[in-house]
């Protein structure tokens, strides 16, 4: 999955020296991919509301001696980083967990530089077989949604 994600970041033209916001970064897998692309003159801020996930993410940056990542524990519905402007804002598997993704995207867009880009990588479940025919699948899907 990370190779597809990396291609996606390159396709939306994330590049060396950029300042990027990774929303719903979890344990930092995506944040580290971005850190590699933007390089030492770039910067990535990863945001997640789950402290435990961020603790794991912090451990990885220490282990891999990554100097261009900062993690912030915050809820996307209540972000207080107004003074920051980003070249790119990205997220992977986050929109489906937000109660009002449209309004979150609108809020996040205020943090973009004028020429900035925003890109989200989400599962496309529109081609799934009708959920009603798979009650167990639907039940497990709801459990995962609640858990995250
Ligand atoms: C499925 S994980 C994806 C993690 C990471 N983006 C990845 O692809 O590896 C979803 C993440 O979104 C975070 N999340 C969900 N709702 C959030 C919110 N309102 N504000 C901040 N983070 C949130 C969860 O804590 C979780 O770490």
């Amino acid at each position: 999955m990370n190779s597809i994600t990396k291609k996606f970041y390159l396709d939306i033209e994330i590049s060396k020296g950029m300042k990027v916001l990774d929303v719903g970064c979890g344990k930092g897998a995506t944040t580290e991919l971005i850190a590699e692309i933007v390089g030492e003159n770039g910067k990535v801020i990863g945001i997640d509301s789950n402290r435990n996930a961020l603790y794991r993410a912090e451990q990885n940056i220490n282990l891999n001696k990554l100097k261009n990542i900062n993690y912030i524990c915050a809820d996307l519905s209540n972000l207080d980083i107004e003074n920051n402007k980003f070249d790119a804002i990205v997220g992977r598997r986050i929109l489906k967990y937000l109660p009002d993704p449209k309004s979150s995207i609108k809020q996040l867009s205020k943090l973009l530089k004028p020429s900035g880009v925003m890109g989200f990588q989400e599962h496309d479940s529109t081609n799934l077989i009708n959920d009603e025919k798979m009650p167990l699948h639907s039940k497990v899907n709801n459990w995962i949604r609640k858990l995250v």
Side-chain angles (χ1 to χ4, degrees):
M1 187 165 187
N2 282 347
S3 60
I4 296 171
T5 302
K6 187 169 179 183
K7 182 179 180 317
F8 171 64
Y9 293 152
L10 295 173
D11 284 349
I12 62 169
E13 297 184 347
I14 292 180
S15 58
K16 288 233 174 295
M18 278 189 169
K19 187 171 173 188
V20 181
L21 179 66
D22 182 17
V23 295
C25 63
K27 290 182 271 176
T30 47
T31 323
E32 289 181 31
L33 287 178
I34 302 160
E36 194 186 308
I37 297 172
V38 298
E40 57 191 25
N41 294 325
K43 181 101 210 149
V44 198
I45 296 183
I47 285 187
D48 203 283
S49 54
N50 183 328
R51 262 180 215 288
N52 292 334
L54 288 184
Y55 177 71
R56 294 280 300 277
E58 293 277 2
Q59 281 184 322
N60 279 343
I61 56 173
N62 291 334
L63 204 67
N64 301 326
K65 297 190 170 49
L66 297 165
K67 293 195 168 65
N68 56 355
I69 296 180
N70 273 115
Y71 288 114
I72 298 175
C73 188
D75 195 295
L76 286 180
S77 57
N78 189 21
L79 271 188
D80 187 20
I81 50 170
E82 301 286 321
N83 293 331
N84 278 287
K85 289 281 178 192
F86 296 91
D87 298 295
I89 298 178
V90 295
R92 183 176 77 177
R93 299 184 298 139
I94 171 71
L95 293 182
K96 70 182 212 166
Y97 300 110
L98 301 178
D100 186 355
K102 225 181 194 173
S103 123
S104 297
I105 287 176
K106 204 169 169 189
Q107 287 303 315
L108 286 169
S109 69
K110 294 178 188 160
L111 302 175
L112 271 182
K113 290 180 186 173
S115 59
V117 62
M118 198 183 304
F120 290 92
Q121 186 186 2
E122 298 287 321
H123 293 295
D124 177 6
S125 50
T126 52
N127 285 329
L128 275 182
I129 303 164
N130 190 344
D131 243 16
E132 285 164 22
K133 289 184 186 158
M134 300 196 297
L136 184 58
H137 175 270
S138 171
K139 194 173 180 181
V140 172
N141 222 1
N142 284 331
W143 284 344
I144 294 172
R145 194 184 292 268
K146 277 187 191 159
L147 178 76
V148 175

